Amino acid sequence: LAKTTQPISMDSYEGQEVNITCSHNNIATNDYITWYQQFPSQGPRFIIQGYKTKVTNEVASLFIPADRKSSTLSLPRVSLSDTAVYYCLVGDSNYQLIWGAGTKLIIKP
Amino acid sequence: NAGVMQNPRHLVRRRGQEARLRCSPMKGHSHVYWYRQLPEEGLKFMVYLQKENIIDESGMPKERFSAEFPKEGPSILRIQQVVRGDSAAYFCASSPLSDRVGTEAFFGQGTRLTVV
């Protein structure tokens, strides 16, 4: 099962673009890359998922290079409410995803 | 369409008592997953169930813990003879037709179990 490495914490300011990079050197051919967001005392919430190249939705973009050994979650124009823990996961089935400690993102005014 | 519903949100039990955590998946979802989370840590997979079947319980402790997802009613995670180390947040998630990624998993708000 692939494991991921991501920064423990990051700070940014309101209105900035935030990029969180995740390393997954052992990603398997069938694995997808999925990002979740978790606020304190709440369950994780799906943000975005991709397999290769670029995926964009109304919340974020996900950039995946050709070798798929890393991925970058991009949050445009963050606000204070984006302060949360962000988890990068790789796998081909929901229950086999291995959850690390995530990246604690703090947005400052 | 209501989301994944977990109850209770908070549960306090004395050592040696039983804890029952309930999870109602989203309507139409037949796959349920239970996770445990300690403070400042990621989620740890416990068990994956479909209606009336345990598909994978490799993350469940061998003793005191059990889970079910009956044909009717919510999924239940049961912890017998609780100990202080069982204190954690327990999350349930559900997905519709498959456990494969691409079918997004939706999480409940969790049950925070405190053993005193």
Side-chain angles (χ1 to χ4, degrees), chain B residues 69-104:
Chain B
F69 187 17
K71 186 176 180 181
E72 301 291 336
S75 175
I76 306 285
L77 178 67
R78 183 181 176 204
I79 310 172
Q80 295 178 293
Q81 299 175 321
V82 295
V83 301
R84 287 225 170 99
D86 296 332
S87 296
Y90 292 84
F91 290 98
C92 167
S94 72
S95 64
L97 299 174
S98 167
D99 69 301
R100 314 307 291 178
V101 288
T103 54
E104 172 191 337

Side-chain angles (χ1 to χ4, degrees), chain A residues 47-63:
Chain A
I47 300 175
I48 198 166
Q49 184 179 86
Y51 184 80
K52 62 180 179 181
T53 63
K54 178 184 174 183
V55 180
T56 297
N57 60 24
E58 63 277 6
V59 176
S61 295
L62 179 60
F63 298 92

Side-chain angles (χ1 to χ4, degrees), chain A residues 30 32 34 36 38 40-46 49 87 91-95 97 99-101 104, chain B residues 9 33 35 37 40-43 45 48 56 91 95 99-105 107-109 112:
Chain A
N30 293 334
Y32 279 71
T34 309
Y36 279 85
Q38 186 178 27
S41 301
Q42 293 191 26
R45 185 176 70 124
F46 174 89
Q49 184 179 86
Y87 295 94
D92 67 350
S93 66
N94 283 316
Y95 78 98
L97 298 177
W99 295 68
K104 184 176 288 187
Chain B
R9 289 294 309 277
Y33 318 85
Y35 298 85
Q37 186 177 36
E40 307 299 318
E41 294 187 11
L43 278 67
F45 166 77
Y48 163 38
D56 187 323
F91 290 98
S95 64
D99 69 301
R100 314 307 291 178
V101 288
T103 54
E104 172 191 337
F107 283 83
Q109 298 272 48
R112 273 139 197 91

Side-chain angles (χ1 to χ4, degrees), chain B residues 42-54:
Chain B
L43 278 67
K44 295 284 194 299
F45 166 77
M46 298 181 74
V47 61
Y48 163 38
L49 310 106
Q50 294 180 28
K51 285 283 187 181
E52 300 184 277
N53 285 306
I54 297 174

